Amino acid sequence: MKLTNEGLKQVQDWKDRGVTLPAYDREKMIRATMENPVWVHFGAGNIFRGFIAGLQQRLLNAGLADRGIIAAETFDGEIIDRIYKPFDSLTLMVSLKPDGTTEREVIASLACGLKASPAEEEDWGRLKRVFEAPSLQMVSFTITEKGYALRDMKGEYFPAVKADLQDGPEKARHAMSIVTALMRHRYVSGASPIALVSMDNCSHNGEKLRNAVTEIAEAWVRAGFADQGFLDWISDETKVSFPWSMIDKITPRPAPSVTRALAEEGFEDMTPVETARHTFIAPFVNAEIPQYLVIEDRFPNGRPALEKAGVYMTDRDTVNRTERMKVTTCLNPLHTALAVYGCLLGYTLIADEMKDADLKRLVERIGYREGLPVVTDPGILSPEAFLKEVLEKRLPNPFMPDTPQRIACDTSQKVPIRFGETIKSRMQNGTADELEGIPLAIAAWLRYLLAADDKGNPMEVSPDPMREGLQEALKAVRFGDPDSAAGVLKPILSNDVIFAVNLYETPLAEKIEEAFRGMLVPGGVRKSLQKV
């Protein structure tokens, strides 16, 4: 059984294996999509394939849509070459239940996958034609938090961004420059309205996207690559909107257990690949069943009927409250704490960490005692019920192959939101001194950057755009010598780019320094948990 257009013709074979197939004419959908596109999505990875593409599939199955999604990839073109093209842009979705059983569905709502780079002439030409289309209603994004960042921890432009500002739209490299270049092309091709919708896990994601695109547009206007009319158009949210959103679905790397099960049942070519850019991806996506998507309903050119696919379409304030609930309190901070501690303590599964009484108490404290008191109830979801589901059902799911090593990626981009927002709220109401779990998690992250586990053995550190600079700042620290940390953390803890606040203006810097020093001896990481 092959996951291809031809392979899907063996309908009974798929049904015999409990796989749900698309209930629409896919060839007709692809033709309609390419002739009059409505939706482009940047970020062709697992969260898109395993969640967002499934939303459009629901609409297609119900006859509420006749066009699919065009996927665009700015970061890793190998995904298109090795996962999209060989499998006709199909995905086998494997939903993991806590009882060990699965639900399976072929997601066929992707019309095609394209490499979003001017260096890829054919794909770039196709994308430009898509952006010309007045029918295009929305461009969505799951490119991770770092995809919107234009500057490093020193506030200086990343080299790719600096080159883009100098070289202009036709040589764009950075994701935000590529998007801005395509928007400029839409402007000169008729300036039809459109919505740019970030669906990434970061606070005020629409604002981050808008700020990045606008900053590049302003620079190109100054340099003569675009006219003032382009900047005026992209700054007018009645023409180009940047809705905020909150997304939630744990979508880990492909699991060996799922790969084996699929192979044993006769699914061909399901083996995951690791690209040269260290993307772990497979023809299938394995993920948990719970999923949430809340979007600000501001689409100047119309939109798909997403509310009929289970999406909460609402106002910005409700999105903001829901996002704050999830990203700053009820899930993401717990994930980050488990990630750095799990790596230090030798864990390879988040679910196994939830069996560790010390770690379980830590995340319960961060969630219930430190975050929940400063969360505003969004109204559409109960924060306490959401947190309870996370702690009692989602994180402990033994069949979710999510690893602390994956969650630990790009932590520098996550800290200001996942911990910084609660810290700022606590500062405002005068209760920052009550925080114990959050400063402990920050100390553990800095300890993790030393690339040595709790016994002092060498340990791999996950990719992070600030890793090199942070490790350079920590180079004087020696495992086994707590005194070597004297004064070392101050440039880091005072950096409001990293933490959203200067932690020396809070009672937390001293707590972090003390905990960090305690973690520099064998067994110190474990003891830090037991103290709190």
Side-chain angles (χ1 to χ4, degrees):
M1 289 172 58
K2 289 182 177 292
L3 184 65
T4 61
N5 289 333
E6 189 65 27
L8 291 189
K9 294 178 181 178
Q10 309 300 318
V11 174
Q12 196 58 47
D13 288 343
W14 292 88
K15 289 185 176 180
D16 288 345
R17 289 161 177 79
V19 180
T20 301
L21 296 177
Y24 50 90
D25 185 332
R26 187 164 189 255
E27 291 184 5
K28 183 178 179 182
M29 178 275 288
I30 291 173
R31 287 195 301 271
T33 302
M34 301 315 294
E35 289 171 4
N36 292 288
V38 295
W39 188 350
V40 171
H41 183 89
F42 282 85
N46 290 334
I47 186 66
F48 165 61
R49 296 159 65 225
F51 183 2
I52 297 161
L55 299 174
Q56 192 69 356
Q57 172 118 327
R58 290 185 190 181
L59 299 181
L60 285 161
N61 281 338
L64 298 171
D66 62 356
R67 283 159 287 180
I69 308 173
I70 297 166
E73 178 59 32
T74 61
F75 176 72
D76 195 340
E78 273 191 77
I79 293 175
I80 304 300
D81 290 334
R82 301 180 68 180
I83 296 299
Y84 277 69
K85 290 180 180 178
F87 301 95
D88 296 326
S89 299
L90 297 166
T91 298
L92 179 60
M93 180 62 205
V94 181
S95 298
L96 306 170
K97 298 182 178 181
D99 64 2
T101 60
T102 63
E103 294 178 359
R104 299 168 180 174
E105 180 181 10
V106 173
I107 304 298
S109 60
L110 307 182
C112 68
L114 300 173
K115 299 177 188 177
S117 167
E120 301 288 340
E121 292 185 11
E122 182 179 349
D123 283 8
W124 186 246
R126 294 178 71 185
L127 264 178
K128 289 174 75 172
R129 288 191 293 275
V130 168
F131 269 75
E132 292 170 5
S135 59
L136 187 63
Q137 297 176 328
M138 64 182 291
V139 180
S140 55
F141 300 80
T142 50
I143 56 175
T144 75
E145 289 153 297
K146 66 181 178 181
Y148 306 97
L150 303 181
R151 293 178 171 82
D152 60 22
M153 63 183 290
K154 297 178 181 178
E156 298 175 356
Y157 282 125
F158 290 119
V161 176
K162 188 175 182 179
D164 288 343
L165 299 186
Q166 294 173 347
D167 297 341
E170 296 306 316
K171 295 183 179 179
R173 304 162 185 83
H174 189 276
M176 293 294 94
S177 307
I178 288 167
V179 172
T180 309
L182 289 166
M183 289 297 289
R184 175 184 171 277
H185 184 71
R186 185 172 181 81
Y187 166 73
V188 300
S189 302
S192 297
I194 195 168
L196 304 187
V197 191
S198 171
M199 296 180 180
D200 273 299
N201 277 328
C202 51
S203 181
H204 300 181
N205 48 20
E207 183 178 29
K208 285 181 168 56
L209 173 58
R210 185 180 192 275
N211 289 345
V213 169
T214 302
E215 184 170 349
I216 292 168
E218 288 172 343
W220 282 347
V221 169
R222 289 195 300 270
F225 293 116
D227 61 38
Q228 183 62 38
F230 168 59
L231 181 58
D232 293 342
W233 174 71
I234 212 167
S235 302
D236 181 351
E237 292 218 19
T238 66
K239 305 290 179 60
V240 180
S241 67
F242 295 83
W244 296 12
S245 74
M246 187 285 285
I247 190 169
D248 181 27
K249 186 180 181 76
I250 300 174
T251 311
R253 290 176 179 177
S257 59
V258 176
T259 306
R260 288 193 298 270
L262 293 175
E264 289 168 3
E265 292 184 48
F267 295 91
E268 298 180 41
D269 304 321
M270 289 289 109
T271 304
V273 301
E274 179 183 1
T275 70
R277 304 204 73 167
H278 305 295
T279 301
F280 292 85
I281 195 165
F284 67 89
V285 173
N286 46 228
E288 65 174 350
I289 291 177
Q291 60 185 37
Y292 302 90
L293 181 58
V294 184
I295 302 177
E296 178 187 4
D297 198 357
R298 205 155 47 85
F299 290 76
N301 200 28
R303 60 170 175 79
L306 294 170
E307 70 281 1
K308 296 181 180 179
V311 179
Y312 294 89
M313 303 302 300
T314 185
D315 57 86
R316 177 173 292 188
D317 189 48
T318 302
V319 172
N320 191 35
R321 293 198 307 267
T322 310
E323 179 270 327
R324 283 178 61 85
M325 176 199 76
K326 181 251 179 181
V327 175
T328 71
T329 303
C330 295
L331 176 58
N332 297 65
L334 317 186
H335 243 168
T336 292
L338 288 172
V340 293
Y341 262 107
C343 292
L344 289 164
L345 295 174
Y347 282 101
T348 56
L349 279 178
I350 293 290
D352 287 344
E353 289 189 71
M354 291 302 289
K355 300 174 187 175
D356 184 314
D358 294 332
L359 288 171
K360 187 170 182 286
R361 280 195 295 269
L362 173 67
V363 292
E364 286 174 343
R365 179 186 179 97
I366 292 173
Y368 285 120
R369 293 178 59 182
E370 302 190 359
L372 207 55
V374 294
V375 166
T376 303
D377 190 333
I380 58 173
L381 295 170
S382 162
E384 190 166 359
F386 187 94
L387 180 58
K388 183 181 175 72
E389 180 186 54
V390 166
L391 287 169
E392 296 181 9
K393 296 180 180 179
R394 298 175 65 186
L395 295 179
N397 184 343
F399 302 100
M400 274 291 294
D402 211 1
T403 70
Q405 290 74 22
R406 181 186 80 89
I407 303 298
C409 291
D410 307 324
T411 300
S412 70
Q413 307 300 293
K414 302 169 182 176
V415 166
I417 307 304
R418 300 187 178 191
F419 299 132
E421 292 301 308
T422 293
I423 292 170
K424 286 191 290 186
S425 295
R426 290 285 192 158
M427 289 171 66
Q428 289 169 2
N429 68 18
T431 61
D433 60 331
E434 296 178 6
L435 298 178
E436 299 290 345
I438 286 176
L440 197 61
I442 292 172
W445 170 52
L446 297 173
R447 169 66 178 78
Y448 159 83
L449 289 168
L450 300 182
D453 67 16
D454 198 22
K455 298 177 182 178
N457 298 321
M459 176 190 74
E460 186 175 350
V461 174
S462 298
D464 189 305
M466 291 188 178
R467 183 177 67 181
E468 184 176 337
L470 288 165
Q471 289 183 325
E472 175 67 20
L474 293 167
K475 66 180 181 180
V477 179
R478 297 182 299 278
F479 182 76
D481 181 8
D483 291 339
S484 66
V488 171
L489 297 188
K490 189 161 188 177
I492 299 174
L493 298 182
S494 61
N495 190 329
D496 59 10
V497 173
I498 300 176
F499 297 103
V501 295
N502 176 351
L503 291 175
Y504 284 94
E505 296 175 357
T506 77
L508 305 182
E510 184 177 344
K511 292 183 180 183
I512 295 168
E513 289 181 339
E514 181 181 356
F516 181 76
R517 287 193 299 270
M519 295 179 191
L520 292 177
V521 298
V525 173
R526 172 63 67 179
K527 288 178 182 177
S528 71
L529 285 168
Q530 294 167 346
K531 285 181 181 179
V532 171

